[in-house]
Amino acid sequence: MTLIDHLEHLQALTAAAPVPDPGSGEAPPGVGDKVLTLLKWVANLAIAACVAGVLFTAGKMALAHRRGDDTNVSALGWVFAACILIGSASAVVSALI
């Protein structure tokens, strides 16, 4: 897969991502759409950071394995934990509010 294919796949995944629920309140006129656009941009950047984190950690693991070292497994766990938290951020905030 080329980089363009990966980016298209990432765009397809983020297009299907749920839109944050603004709650029962009402946003000021002209601000609601801008805030949702900003949240979508932040979500896309966070997902891209997760993908980059997995790729970077996997690369470090491959190099460490070649040297006979296994120290990067915990780093992959932290990256996966961040992915789970980012993916469920809207649900977590909704549950806390």
Side-chain angles (χ1 to χ4, degrees):
M1 259 180 134
T2 65
L3 178 62
I4 300 298
D5 293 334
H6 285 293
L7 290 175
E8 288 174 354
H9 179 67
L10 179 64
Q11 183 181 11
L13 288 176
T14 57
V19 175
D21 182 15
S24 60
E26 190 172 318
V31 175
D33 292 335
K34 293 177 183 177
V35 170
L36 285 179
T37 301
L38 178 65
L39 287 175
K40 287 179 186 180
W41 274 90
V42 170
N44 285 337
L45 291 173
I47 291 170
C50 285
V51 172
V54 170
L55 292 174
F56 180 74
T57 306
K60 282 178 43 178
M61 288 176 70
L63 292 174
H65 176 69
R66 200 171 167 159
R67 288 184 245 135
D69 190 14
D70 257 354
T71 59
N72 293 314
V73 176
S74 65
L76 189 62
W78 284 109
V79 172
F80 286 157
C83 292
I84 291 170
L85 187 59
I86 289 170
S88 62
S90 180
V92 170
V93 171
S94 294
L96 293 175
I97 293 178

